[in-house]
Amino acid sequence: MAGSTWVLWWKDAQGTASLGLLQERLLRGLRASLKGRWSMDTKLFHSPYNFVQHQNIKVPALTAPRGTASDQSMYLVIRGQGTSRRQFYVMASNRVVVEAEPEMESIVLRLKNLWTPRQTARVEGYSYEGDDWIIRTGNMMVGTSYKGLIIEINYLPCSNPEQTRGLMLELLTMILPEDAQVDANNGVDYRRAGLDPCRMTDRHTAYQYVHLFTQSSLL
């Protein structure tokens, strides 16, 4: 996926009604095309071991911001379905982001003494496409609890998030109600995970999801 992506959380969304409102504004107001269903999962695992210390892993010695996961937590972000399914692991207090083959999840699940599944956030909704952007919207469940709605804006022509935030904010204001309570997922420090802050990749998007879930205490 090329371009720049912004992941945010509509906290007081009202389930199907809010998802339908966004669909109407995207299809009629922005003349978007409905591309089909969209879903993504983020799974939290916990370990009794601190692998950064145990394996002497070299990671940047940075002060952990509020809401950052511990060295004993690992997040699995799953995007796409079927042959397009991709998996990203975020670990070591959000200082390591790696993409892995789909088979890795089954290996992690078998390592019950090392990694215990704790919680899962599942987002289900729809994907829409405009001339130079893709917007994905989906209701979020954490376990059995409804937690609002996720909006993912992907601006295709440019991969620099600083240069595209204004354009994506303009798109957002055209589809959201004025009184919507939104967590804009600010303060994402890509350098903490050794990621280039000026050129986004799919690893950056996975990192955004984990940053949102940890700073908001969703997972």
Side-chain angles (χ1 to χ4, degrees):
M1 180 177 60
S4 181
T5 302
W6 183 17
V7 176
L8 52 126
W9 174 31
W10 181 0
K11 298 190 288 185
D12 61 341
Q14 301 298 312
T16 302
S18 297
L19 201 61
L21 172 65
L22 292 181
Q23 183 170 100
E24 180 179 3
R25 294 187 175 185
L26 282 160
L27 296 180
R28 295 186 180 181
L30 296 182
R31 303 293 182 183
S33 299
L34 176 61
K35 303 305 292 183
R37 301 284 302 185
W38 170 69
S39 66
M40 64 84 58
D41 296 275
T42 300
K43 301 181 180 183
L44 168 62
F45 295 85
H46 187 267
S47 174
Y49 306 103
N50 185 319
F51 285 94
V52 173
Q53 295 179 357
H54 184 67
Q55 300 293 337
N56 195 26
I57 298 174
K58 302 299 182 181
V59 293
L62 302 174
T63 301
R66 180 183 64 84
T68 299
S70 74
D71 288 338
Q72 294 171 263
S73 298
M74 178 173 69
Y75 292 84
L76 167 59
V77 180
I78 303 172
R79 298 174 53 80
Q81 303 294 327
T83 58
S84 62
R85 179 182 173 97
R86 301 178 67 185
Q87 297 186 354
F88 302 85
Y89 289 84
V90 182
M91 62 192 79
S93 296
N94 297 3
R95 289 172 293 188
V96 176
V97 185
V98 295
E99 183 173 2
E101 295 297 324
E103 295 79 8
M104 180 60 69
E105 182 180 4
S106 62
I107 296 174
V108 171
L109 291 173
R110 289 199 295 269
L111 299 175
K112 296 180 179 180
N113 292 332
L114 296 180
W115 294 108
T116 302
R118 283 293 180 88
Q119 284 184 303
T120 298
R122 179 162 181 80
V123 181
E124 292 185 292
Y126 300 92
S127 177
Y128 307 87
E129 185 173 338
D131 291 336
D132 53 10
W133 50 262
I134 297 173
I135 293 180
R136 301 173 177 90
T137 64
N139 284 314
M140 175 170 55
M141 301 291 294
V142 177
T144 59
S145 300
Y146 177 71
K147 293 296 184 179
L149 193 147
I150 292 293
I151 301 173
E152 179 184 308
I153 304 175
N154 179 208
Y155 183 69
L156 300 171
C158 179
S159 61
N160 189 320
E162 293 299 323
Q163 296 178 3
T164 58
R165 181 57 68 94
L167 294 168
M168 291 191 285
L169 180 59
E170 184 177 345
L171 285 171
L172 182 65
T173 56
M174 295 176 69
I175 62 174
L176 274 181
E178 292 184 2
D179 60 348
Q181 296 181 20
V182 176
D183 185 332
N185 200 14
N186 293 319
V188 181
D189 183 8
Y190 296 116
R191 292 185 179 89
R192 179 177 178 83
L195 300 173
D196 186 346
C198 298
R199 185 177 182 275
M200 291 199 71
T201 66
D202 289 330
R203 288 199 299 159
H204 290 69
T205 302
Y207 191 75
Q208 279 194 63
Y209 275 104
V210 173
H211 180 270
L212 174 64
F213 292 149
T214 53
Q215 74 160 1
S216 303
S217 300
L218 286 165
L219 283 181

